[in-house]
Amino acid sequence: MITLDNVTLTFPDGDSRITAVDHVSLSAPAGIVTGITGPSGSGKSSLLAVAATLIRPDSGHVWINDVDAATLTRNEATALRRDEIGIVFQQSNLVPSLTAREQLLVMAELGGGRHRHRDLVRARADELLEAVGLAKHGRKRPAQLSGGQRQRVSIARALVNNPSVLLVDEPTSALDQDRGAEIIDLIARLTHEQSTATMLVTHDLVHRGALDTLVTVVDGTITDTDVPATTQLETAGVQ
Ligand code: ADP
Ligand code: MG
């Protein structure tokens, strides 16, 4: 579960400041895809960066499960991010020299995996490559993979340390519509399977069907929340 409580974020803008996120309160429960949509420049990426604890807000709180990120030291926030938050950006940001499987192993090495037995880490990497449909491509480097396959690797990499929160920013912007729909469907399936609290930013409402909840942001403010029917939430195991 991730909760933003009355979060405001401003950036310097000449002599004044621009408000990117304006008193936003939002909860994303486990096992659910909370979609975030809105026009370009409305503050979606800023919201996600605050949720990821990459940017500290001017005011308000970010709760990751029972932890208030604002109370953490820089090192504690880094550890929280590493262990509890998986992030997928618009571009896949893979390391060019590493194979798909190695991208996952390195992330596990940096995270909780360093305390785990090597065989368990490898098994987790292989399980995730299989889950994203890349079991046969684990030895390929990014240049040998398609855009959609690279995004699949970055999704698997984001999940390798079993995060409770998955944050995804416009993952389909570099893909054609069919590949994009496959990626959104994959994120939805993994969210349900791995029970991550997922926040997914997309400006493309063609993907509405795969999102459990849809929040609309305009000028840094939530203008609409399309909450799923209770039955859907119950199916997903949310109380
Ligand atoms: P979206 O992701 O919805 O397109 P953003 O969160 O990127 O919107 O941007 C929201 C607003 O904040 C915009 O006006 C943008 O110009 C501004 N902004 C975003 N990041 C920065 C930054 N690092 N410095 C200054 N202004 C920023
Ligand atoms: Mg953005």
Side-chain angles (χ1 to χ4, degrees):
M1 173 90 152
I2 176 165
T3 299
L4 306 187
D5 178 18
N6 208 15
V7 165
T8 293
L9 174 69
T10 67
F11 291 111
D13 182 32
D15 290 342
S16 61
R17 298 188 74 84
I18 186 164
T19 303
V21 180
D22 194 358
H23 296 95
V24 164
S25 294
L26 173 64
S27 274
I32 288 282
V33 181
T34 300
I36 300 171
T37 195
S40 178
S42 57
K44 305 183 296 298
S45 294
S46 302
L47 191 67
L48 223 60
V50 171
T53 72
L54 290 169
I55 305 182
R56 199 168 270 215
D58 298 42
S59 59
H61 294 270
V62 177
W63 292 84
I64 309 286
N65 303 319
D66 297 330
V67 177
D68 179 356
T71 63
L72 301 179
T73 63
R74 190 179 282 253
N75 282 345
E76 287 169 340
T78 302
L80 176 82
R81 204 156 50 234
R82 189 188 60 207
D83 297 337
E84 295 297 332
I85 305 177
I87 307 176
V88 179
F89 294 105
Q90 213 158 327
Q91 304 295 334
S92 42
N93 291 315
L94 299 175
V95 182
S97 60
L98 298 182
T99 67
R101 190 166 183 260
E102 287 165 349
Q103 316 270 349
L104 273 61
L105 296 177
V106 163
M107 192 56 90
E109 201 61 41
L110 296 171
R114 69 199 185 288
H115 303 301
R116 275 186 271 156
H117 195 279
R118 197 171 271 182
D119 289 345
L120 286 180
V121 171
R122 288 181 182 151
R124 174 70 177 157
D126 290 335
E127 171 195 312
L128 279 168
L129 284 174
E130 170 101 47
V132 300
L134 291 180
K136 294 201 174 71
H137 300 277
R139 297 166 75 100
K140 291 188 179 166
R141 293 188 166 72
Q144 299 168 291
L145 297 168
S146 70
Q149 288 173 329
R150 286 199 288 270
Q151 238 0 341
R152 286 168 190 272
V153 175
S154 55
I155 293 164
R157 182 181 60 176
L159 292 170
V160 86
N161 291 326
N162 294 304
S164 51
V165 172
L166 179 63
L167 303 174
V168 191
D169 195 356
E170 308 260 19
T172 65
S173 52
L175 306 176
D176 65 51
Q177 188 150 326
D178 287 350
R179 297 294 94 70
E182 286 170 14
I183 290 295
I184 302 287
D185 288 346
L186 175 65
I187 291 166
R189 175 165 65 77
L190 290 171
T191 296
H192 301 147
E193 282 174 11
Q194 314 264 330
S195 268
T196 53
T198 300
M199 287 172 56
L200 170 63
V201 169
T202 178
H203 64 267
D204 194 348
L205 287 183
V206 80
H207 304 305
R208 176 67 187 97
L211 310 173
D212 298 304
T213 302
L214 184 65
V215 172
T216 305
V217 179
V218 178
D219 287 341
T221 308
I222 294 179
T223 57
D224 185 57
T225 303
D226 184 358
V227 185
T230 330
T231 47
Q232 274 174 281
L233 282 172
E234 281 166 0
T235 310
V238 173
Q239 304 297 314

